[in-house]
Amino acid sequence: MHSESRCARCGPVAPLHVPEHIGPEIVASVVDRIVGAAGPSGRAAAPLWCPWPLPPGWTMTGVAYAGDDRTGVRATAVACAGPAPLGGGPADLVFVAEEPGVGLGTRFAGLSGPDPGPQLAEALTDPGPGHPGHVGQARIRAGGHPTPLWLVHSRADRSAYAGEARGMWLHAIAWPASAGHLLAEDVVLHDLTEWTPPELVYGAPSPYLHGRA
């Protein structure tokens, strides 16, 4: 018998909570859960990273967190959707903040293993611009600080970037793969646990947070 949630392949895992709908009340409820879980432990609340301002035509389409009363909130996710940066239809982005060993970001990237460390180590040995093996960075701002994200391996239908912000892994996963070009623009991530903009626009629930990934 085990008291924790378990995966047949990975063993103990942090249970993932994904509200069925999205709107200001849902976001407020999840923020309260994240902040409340951090209080008794004395540790900082896990950030809930959302692009703000949203790119033109984009909406927030979902929010999620992983954890329970015993472990606290160990990972968070925000989904957004809008027009693809290179045209050709809609695009989706999911931003994940997580403690080491959770594996939520690699799950959305379509990879095995709990952390992107091995792939980041490979990306950090990049030979640089002009070399055929060069891998570009996504330079965003998270919480007011420049935050580089490196392209890591993922399934062919998506692109995935990984880096670090506030002592946690930060992942950005985009569908289709070409939608990753959005991260080459001036993307600013804001932590919704600090303040939720009342002007946020909400869209249809993300299929990727609800199992399509």
Side-chain angles (χ1 to χ4, degrees):
M1 298 291 292
H2 302 277
S3 59
E4 72 273 9
S5 298
R6 296 183 66 85
C7 168
R9 292 185 302 169
C10 309
V13 295
L16 180 63
H17 307 269
V18 185
E20 184 177 353
H21 304 290
I22 185 64
E25 297 84 4
I26 297 294
V27 173
S29 175
V30 170
V31 166
D32 287 346
R33 178 69 178 86
I34 295 169
V35 174
S41 66
R43 63 182 180 181
L48 189 63
W49 295 121
C50 178
W52 186 255
L54 287 168
W58 280 66
T59 62
M60 184 178 180
T61 58
V63 65
Y65 68 92
D68 55 30
D69 292 337
R70 182 177 59 86
T71 64
V73 175
R74 302 190 59 206
T76 66
V78 166
C80 301
L86 301 180
D92 290 83
L93 273 170
V94 171
F95 293 94
V96 174
E98 64 180 354
E99 296 177 359
V102 176
L104 184 60
T106 53
R107 170 192 161 182
F108 285 123
L111 303 173
S112 60
D115 293 314
Q119 286 124 21
L120 272 183
E122 182 178 333
L124 289 171
T125 61
D126 186 277
H131 189 282
H134 172 62
V135 176
Q137 294 181 20
R139 296 187 180 275
I140 64 173
R141 294 184 69 83
H145 299 283
T147 305
L149 299 179
W150 284 269
L151 184 68
V152 296
H153 298 298
S154 64
R155 291 182 181 173
D157 65 337
R158 69 201 72 179
S159 57
Y161 291 78
E164 179 273 334
R166 293 190 183 171
M168 303 181 78
W169 289 120
L170 172 59
H171 303 259
I173 305 96
W175 294 264
S178 61
H181 287 284
L182 183 73
L183 298 173
E185 303 175 10
D186 294 327
V187 175
V188 177
L189 298 184
H190 167 71
D191 182 5
L192 298 181
T193 69
E194 298 176 346
W195 172 68
T196 301
E199 302 88 354
L200 262 178
V201 179
Y202 301 92
S206 167
Y208 299 102
L209 284 189
H210 289 272
R212 182 172 168 183

